Amino acid sequence: MTRRLDVAIDIGGDFSDLFASAPGSPPILLKHASDHAAPLRDGIAALLAAAGIAAAEVARLRLSTTLATNALVSGTASPVALVTTQGFGDVPDLGRQSKRDPMDEAPPPPTPPWLSPPAWRCEIAGRIDARGAEVEPLAPLPDLIATLPEGTPVAICLLFAPLNPAHEQAVAQAIHATRPDLRLSLSHRVDPGLREFERMLATLADAALKPLLATRLTGLLPAPWVLRAEGGLAPLADALAQPLGLALSGPAAGARAVAHWAAGEDAIGLDMGSTTAEVSLVRAGVPLTAREIGLGALRLRCPALDVESLAMGGGTTLTLQAGRIRFGPPSRPACRGGTQATLTDAALLAGWLPATLSGQALDRQAAATALHAALGTTDATPALELAEALLAGALRRIALRRGLDPTVALLVAGGGAGPLHAAAIARRIGARRVLVPPAPGLLSAFGLALAPASASLEAPCDLALDDLPQHQALAQAAALTIRLAAWGCTAEPAHSLAMAYAGQAETLEVPFTPGEPAAALAARFDTAHAAMRGHAPGGARRILALRCVATAPLGPPPPHAAALPLAERHLPDGTVLRDFADATLRIPPGWRATPRADGALLLEDAA
C-alpha cells in the first residue's frame, strides 16, 4: 500500500529542510544543500528523491521559501508601474519625510528607485473623500498604460480606496480590457489600512513579486500549500494572488514551532541559520503578531507573526577594521569551500563543530587560513564572544520592547547554529532555561508541518468603542468561512480590534468576541496598554480597524522526531558538545541538560 505523506519543505539560503509524516509512522527528516540555480520544481524533486519519497506518496505538499524575501532585499523583483490619484505621484519619493537612523547623513530613499521608476508613474483624475464618498468622477486611463512593456506589474493605489474601492476596481477593469497581459495589484486588497505611503509601498512590493513568483512557483505538482508571513497556509493560487504575504514565510514557520515547544509559556525563539538569526516572541504559548515586516531597508505593512531578522548567521563574514572585529554580509564558509572567514569557521577552530556537518566535510585548515587572513590570528574566541554579545543585546531589546521579561522567559533554540550559541546568549540576557527541540536544525520545517490553513480580513474605521459594528465583524467571519470552505476547510474565526486612546496614532490589537460588552473590551485594552507601554492613561478609546482571522487545521499534528546525538564530545574547559544530524548543541560549564517527555532537551543554568 502506498504511503500518503504530508510533506513540509522549507527552502532556505544555504539549506533546504524536509519534514514528512504520516499517521502512525515516524517522521522523515532531511537537511540538504539548496540549489538556487535549478528550477524550483527540480529542486523539490531532488529533495524528495534524497529523502526516499516517491512523487505518488505526497498527499499534501507544504512550502515556505525565501524567494519573495530575497527578491525584495536584493532588488531583483520587477519594477512596477504606478497608477495613483492626481497629485499623489510623488508619494513614493516623499514617504514620511523622516529617517529611521538620526545619525545617518545620507538615508536611503523611502522607496527603492528600482521599485517605482518615475517614468512609469501616472496620475488619474477622480477622487474619493475621507468618508468614502465620491467627490470627483474617475477620468479615463492615462496614455502610459498602453505603452508599458508586456507583462509589466501595475500597482493601483488611489486615495481612500479602503473606504470605497469603486475607483480602484474601475481602473483595474479598464486596464484588463485594454491590456490583459499586465499584472495588477489593488491597494485595497493588498493593504486595507489607511496612510497613503504605507499602503502604496506595500502595493508596489506586492506587484513587484508577481512575475517572479508566478514563474518560479507555477507548475509544482502537487500544487503546494504556501506559508504566509501571518503564519498560515493558503493554496498556491490564492497565495500568488497576493504574493507580499509570502515574504518571511520561513521565519513565520520557525515562530510556529517556537510557540509549540513553549507549551503555554512565555518564550523567546532564536532560529539561527547560515544567513540570519530570526527572533520570535511567544506570550503564554501564543506567537505575537505584528503589522509590519522588515526586509533590509524596506519596512512593509503586512500582517505577520512578530519575527525580527538579525544579520548574524553561521555564514556571517569576519574582518578586522581599525583593530576592531566587524561582521559583514554572509558568504560560504571557508571550511565548506568559500574564500572568506565566517562564524562557522571560527566555531570549527574553537572545537565546537565536528569534522562533518549536515553531510558535508569541514576543512579545518582552510578555516584557519581564512581566519588568520581576516583577523591576523587563528584564535576564534574574540569573534565568537562578540557575536554572542551582539545577539544577546538584540534579543534583550526585542523582548523588552514587547513587554516580555527575558529573565523569566524560556529561550527556544533552533536552526543549524542556534543550539551552538543559545546557552551563552541566555546567560547574557539573564534567562535561566534553554529548550532545544529534537531535530533543531529543522525547526522551520517542523513549524511548517504544524501550520493551519488561514485567511484574514481587515476593515479600517474610526469609531468610539461603544459604536463597535458587531454586524461587520460577523460579516467578516461569514466571508472567511466561505473562502476556507472553497479550500475544503472548516473555518474557526477569531476577531480582534485595532484600538488606541483618542489622539494616538499607533494601535494595539485586542481580541474580542462579538456581543461582549464594551466595558470588558476597555479593560482588556487598558491592561494590554499597561503591559506594552508601561501605563494606561484612560480616556476615550477608539477603534481604528476590525480584523478577523479564520484558521483550520490541515490534518492531525505531526509526530515529534526522535533526536539521538550522533556523538558527544568534551572540551578541556568542561564544555559538552552533542552532535546531531542537523546541528550541534553546546552545553557550557554550569548548565545541566534534562530530556523532556516530548523529546526536547531542557538546559538549566545551575551556576
Side-chain angles (χ1 to χ4, degrees):
M1 181 176 170
T2 302
R3 295 179 298 179
R4 303 300 290 163
L5 295 168
D6 191 327
V7 180
I9 295 177
D10 174 52
I11 299 177
D14 271 5
F15 292 95
S16 295
D17 301 334
L18 178 147
F19 186 102
S21 63
S25 301
I28 301 170
L29 312 176
L30 179 67
K31 180 177 282 288
H32 195 271
S34 299
D35 182 3
H36 296 292
L40 190 60
R41 178 178 61 252
D42 295 346
I44 290 175
L47 201 61
L48 292 173
I53 300 172
E57 295 179 308
V58 182
R60 180 183 295 112
L61 178 62
R62 304 165 183 245
L63 182 66
S64 60
T65 171
T66 58
L67 277 173
T69 301
N70 292 344
L72 291 174
V73 170
S74 65
T76 55
S78 300
V80 179
L82 173 66
V83 180
T84 189
T85 302
Q86 191 171 57
F88 285 79
D90 292 330
V91 167
D93 301 323
L94 297 174
R96 286 285 163 196
Q97 289 293 284
S98 61
K99 57 183 182 179
R100 293 181 175 273
D101 182 0
M103 303 303 292
D104 192 347
E105 296 181 358
T111 303
W114 65 265
L115 181 58
S116 179
W120 280 9
R121 299 179 196 169
C122 51
E123 302 178 3
I124 187 168
R127 186 67 67 98
I128 300 291
D129 70 10
R131 297 168 298 173
E134 183 183 74
V135 293
E136 181 183 344
L138 194 64
L141 283 179
D143 295 337
L144 174 66
I145 297 298
T147 67
L148 292 173
E150 184 176 356
T152 299
V154 180
I156 304 172
C157 189
L158 304 182
L159 199 62
F160 296 116
L163 301 178
N164 182 352
H167 280 189
E168 284 197 351
Q169 292 168 342
V171 169
Q173 291 169 1
I175 292 176
H176 185 72
T178 59
R179 291 293 307 274
D181 61 296
L182 303 181
R183 304 172 187 270
L184 308 181
S185 289
L186 281 63
S187 75
H188 73 276
R189 295 176 184 168
V190 175
D191 177 18
L194 299 178
R195 298 184 180 179
E196 294 307 305
F197 171 67
E198 288 80 359
R199 180 161 50 91
M200 187 177 290
L201 185 59
T203 309
L204 287 166
D206 183 83
L209 291 170
K210 285 189 169 177
L212 170 70
L213 296 188
T215 300
R216 294 296 303 275
L217 297 181
T218 300
L220 299 181
L221 293 175
W225 291 75
V226 188
L227 191 73
R228 297 192 279 200
E230 59 187 342
L233 293 156
L236 178 61
D238 291 75
L240 290 179
Q242 267 180 240
L244 178 59
L246 301 186
L248 295 185
S249 67
R256 280 280 182 198
V258 169
H260 171 84
W261 292 110
E265 292 193 56
D266 289 354
I268 303 170
L270 174 64
D271 185 2
M272 187 174 179
S274 58
T275 305
T276 57
E278 270 71 48
V279 180
S280 56
L281 301 175
V282 172
R283 180 174 286 118
V286 178
L288 300 189
T289 59
R291 300 297 301 158
E292 182 182 81
I293 60 176
L295 301 174
L298 282 172
R299 293 294 181 271
L300 300 170
R301 201 163 59 183
C302 175
L305 297 186
D306 192 1
V307 181
E308 190 155 336
S309 186
L310 307 176
M312 188 74 73
T316 297
T317 52
L318 308 174
T319 58
L320 196 66
Q321 298 178 16
R324 296 184 177 182
I325 297 173
R326 302 294 187 186
F327 300 102
S331 179
R332 179 178 291 277
C335 62
R336 290 179 42 225
T339 59
Q340 292 181 273
T342 67
L343 279 178
T344 295
D345 297 301
L348 179 63
L349 293 176
W352 295 357
L353 296 179
T356 301
L357 186 64
S358 298
Q360 294 186 328
L362 303 182
D363 187 338
R364 184 180 179 87
Q365 183 56 51
T369 301
L371 194 68
H372 191 276
L375 304 183
T377 179
T378 57
D379 182 4
T381 302
L384 293 168
E385 290 186 348
L386 179 58
E388 290 174 346
L390 292 174
L391 284 168
L395 261 68
R396 182 187 291 110
R397 182 180 66 253
I398 292 167
L400 292 175
R401 190 174 61 211
R402 296 302 304 269
L404 209 65
D405 184 352
T407 65
V408 299
L410 178 69
L411 180 61
V412 180
L420 199 63
H421 302 282
I425 291 172
R427 184 166 283 172
R428 287 179 178 272
I429 66 175
R432 306 285 296 180
R433 298 172 301 141
V434 174
L435 187 77
V436 180
L442 302 177
L443 184 76
S444 290
F446 179 70
L448 181 58
L450 288 167
S454 79
S456 62
L457 285 174
E458 178 178 329
C461 59
D462 188 358
L463 300 169
L465 185 56
D466 290 335
D467 297 330
L468 172 63
Q470 306 281 355
H471 65 282
Q472 191 169 2
L474 296 175
Q476 287 180 329
L480 290 175
T481 298
I482 293 171
R483 185 185 302 180
L484 265 67
W487 300 353
C489 303
T490 301
E492 300 174 4
H495 300 270
S496 64
L497 304 173
M499 292 180 61
Y501 292 114
Q504 287 184 331
E506 298 298 324
T507 63
L508 292 178
E509 191 161 351
V510 178
F512 87 103
T513 302
E516 69 176 310
L521 285 171
R524 191 174 304 141
F525 171 69
D526 291 346
T527 300
H529 199 283
M532 286 292 298
R533 297 172 182 166
H535 67 119
R541 302 164 186 86
R542 308 292 296 177
I543 304 169
L544 299 182
L546 282 78
R547 298 171 183 150
C548 183
V549 178
T551 59
L554 287 176
H560 293 158
L564 299 175
L566 302 177
E568 182 169 294
R569 298 175 287 125
H570 297 262
L571 298 182
D573 66 354
T575 296
V576 177
L577 298 160
R578 294 186 183 179
D579 298 322
F580 296 87
D582 55 353
T584 293
L585 169 63
R586 172 171 150 246
I587 308 174
W591 289 81
R592 62 173 178 265
T594 306
R596 286 201 329 189
D598 57 9
L601 194 66
L602 180 65
L603 274 61
E604 296 176 283
D605 190 352

